[in-house]
């Protein structure tokens, strides 16, 4: 019975990531309910009850036969649900964090305002010591902001932009109620309708088999000429060559990209040399390590007590 926690001992978990040194970041000194170790410090893999994971290796989960829970460090779980060794029947949870959603809203608003108000031109003028205004801003009613992905994050982004005065239209697979300044379009065809009506399109979708490659030539062709893409979802949503063609033809006028098919974006990648693309290094919005560990420990407690944890994802749906 040595693996069964007494209720006073911390439950043992493992950090699993091929890209981030989770051990150095995801610590929470005050949290006594869980104890996390990297794989090399685990003596008995059968004692490991849960994992904190981000881009695990394909066979990472096979070493731990008694896993009961796997948590992401973020809102996205695609690197876990797509992992070939993900055990069937183990609870997978993601982080759901209002502060993270607010940071995302601020980041998205910065990009919308940057494109609307020609901020890159103004900054370039200032860098050269030139006192020169940019073109007068187009009226808000010509700058409809479209949002793909309407969970906590999408709703928070929508509210922030609506509060600034932008008309907002959001595509929601499940449909849903609009709010003042926010129209929600549901069901089949909702993404196309949002594309058709958006001057700026913000992508916040989870990555699933249905959303991979959705930002493609056909999608861009639906958008009004000269529209802008703000890509904050996952790199695999975007067909990179289709974006370049849309920019070259003027179908899109600019793009902001925070996520990429290959991260870090490789040196010499064509995106780096494009003045019409704003690149940021997958930095739009993290959850603090303390909050990640707090939510993880709550989930571990629930699972060990035989209850269903909050923020459970459906591994087959992918979110
Ligand atoms: C970040 O990429 C997240 O999934 O929250």
């Amino acid at each position: 019975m040595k693996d069964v926690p007494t209720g006073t001992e911390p439950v043992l978990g493992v950090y699993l990531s091929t890209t981030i040194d989770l051990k150095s970041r995801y610590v929470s000194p005050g949290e006594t309910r869980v104890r996390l170790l990297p794989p090399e410090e685990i003596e008995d893999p059968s004692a490991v009850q849960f994992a904190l994971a981000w881009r695990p290796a394909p066979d990472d989960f096979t070493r731990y036969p008694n896993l009961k829970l796997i948590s992401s460090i973020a809102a996205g779980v695609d690197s876990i649900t797509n992992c070939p060794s993900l055990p069937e029947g183990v609870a997978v949870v993601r982080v759901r964090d209002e502060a993270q959603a607010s940071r995302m809203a601020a980041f998205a608003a910065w990009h919308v305002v940057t494109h609307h108000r020609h901020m890159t031109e103004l900054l370039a003028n200032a860098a050269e010591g030139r006192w020169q205004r940019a073109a007068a801003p187009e009226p808000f009613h010509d700058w409809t902001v479209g949002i793909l992905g309407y969970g906590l994050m999408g709703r928070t982004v929508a509210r922030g932009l609506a509060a600034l005065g932008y008309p907002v239209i959001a595509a929601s697979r499940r449909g849903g109620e609009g709010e003042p300044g926010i129209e929600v379009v549901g069901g089949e065809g909702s993404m196309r309708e949002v594309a058709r009506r958006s001057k700026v399109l913000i992508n916040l979708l989870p990555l699933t088999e249905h959303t991979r490659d959705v930002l493609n030539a056909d999608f861009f062709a639906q958008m009004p000429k000269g529209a802008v893409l703000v890509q904050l979802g996952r790199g695999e949503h975007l067909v990179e060559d289709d974006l370049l063609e849309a920019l070259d033809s003027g179908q899109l006028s600019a793009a902001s990209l925070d996520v990429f098919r290959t991260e870090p974006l490789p040196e010499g990648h064509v995106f780096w040399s494009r003045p019409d693309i704003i690149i940021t290094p997958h930095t739009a919005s993290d959850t603090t390590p303390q909050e990640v560990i707090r939510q993880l420990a709550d989930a571990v407690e629930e699972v060990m007590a035989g209850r269903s944890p909050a923020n459970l994802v459906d591994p087959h749906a992918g979110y």
Side-chain angles (χ1 to χ4, degrees):
M1 296 293 282
K2 71 179 166 54
D3 296 344
V4 177
T6 62
T8 53
E9 289 170 29
V11 183
L12 182 62
V14 63
Y15 295 110
L16 296 175
S17 177
T18 53
T19 57
I20 298 181
D21 176 12
L22 295 176
K23 183 187 170 187
S24 68
R25 267 170 58 181
Y26 290 88
V27 286
S28 187
E31 184 53 74
T32 54
R33 292 174 290 173
V34 291
R35 175 163 187 243
L36 276 149
L37 293 173
E40 62 278 11
E41 289 176 31
I42 291 198
E43 283 169 19
D44 175 11
S46 70
V48 171
Q49 310 275 351
F50 70 93
L52 181 65
W54 181 254
R55 298 189 183 232
D59 63 348
D60 258 354
F61 295 120
T62 53
R63 299 187 49 220
Y64 308 99
N66 294 321
L67 281 180
K68 296 183 177 55
L69 174 84
I70 300 166
S71 173
S72 176
I73 56 169
V77 289
D78 44 287
S79 75
I80 297 169
T81 56
N82 292 332
C83 183
S85 62
L86 178 69
E88 194 60 42
V90 173
V92 178
V93 292
R94 66 196 191 88
V95 172
R96 187 175 190 279
D97 175 9
E98 288 181 10
Q100 181 194 23
S102 294
R103 281 191 289 276
M104 184 62 99
F107 195 85
W110 186 90
H111 284 283
V112 172
V113 174
T114 290
H115 293 292
H116 181 199
R117 301 298 309 272
H118 311 289
M119 288 302 290
T120 44
E121 183 186 327
L122 292 171
L123 291 174
N125 289 344
E128 288 173 15
R130 260 206 314 273
W131 178 271
Q132 190 179 315
R133 289 177 141 207
E138 293 177 59
F140 280 115
H141 61 74
D142 287 339
W143 271 70
T144 294
V145 177
I147 297 182
L148 303 185
Y150 201 58
L152 172 67
M153 203 93 81
R155 267 199 314 281
T156 309
V157 170
R159 285 177 185 153
L161 284 155
L164 291 176
Y166 292 95
V168 177
I169 174 170
S172 165
R173 210 172 53 85
R174 299 192 180 104
E177 289 288 298
E179 303 181 18
I182 305 172
E183 183 183 336
V184 178
V185 187
E188 196 69 17
S190 58
M191 298 219 308
R192 279 175 167 260
E193 177 168 353
V194 167
R196 266 202 310 280
R197 293 171 53 193
S198 298
K199 173 72 188 186
V200 196
L201 192 284
I202 301 175
N203 176 42
L204 294 164
L205 286 168
L207 178 65
T208 71
E209 57 179 300
H210 301 294
T211 65
R212 187 175 296 272
D213 297 332
V214 283
L215 303 175
N216 57 31
D218 179 50
F219 186 88
F220 299 141
Q222 308 292 319
M223 297 179 72
K225 195 160 177 73
V228 174
L229 173 68
V230 178
Q231 154 64 329
L232 308 176
R234 282 288 181 268
E236 293 87 343
H237 289 135
L238 175 65
V239 180
E240 296 188 343
D241 286 345
D242 289 4
L243 172 65
L244 292 169
E245 265 176 44
L247 289 168
D248 287 340
S249 71
Q251 177 57 24
L252 295 186
S253 61
S256 294
L257 309 178
D258 186 56
V259 289
F260 301 88
R261 294 189 99 96
T262 306
E263 295 180 5
L265 184 64
E267 208 185 313
H269 190 290
V270 59
F271 285 169
W272 286 117
S273 60
R274 302 281 310 211
D276 47 4
I277 298 180
I278 297 176
I279 292 171
T280 50
H282 199 150
T283 192
S285 181
D286 290 341
T287 295
T288 62
Q290 291 73 19
E291 180 62 17
V292 171
I293 297 292
R294 191 190 65 74
Q295 292 194 17
L296 169 67
D298 283 354
V300 168
E301 197 172 301
E302 291 301 291
V303 166
M304 297 310 284
R307 293 187 294 263
S308 179
N311 308 324
L312 198 58
V313 307
D314 172 355
H316 299 292
Y319 63 98

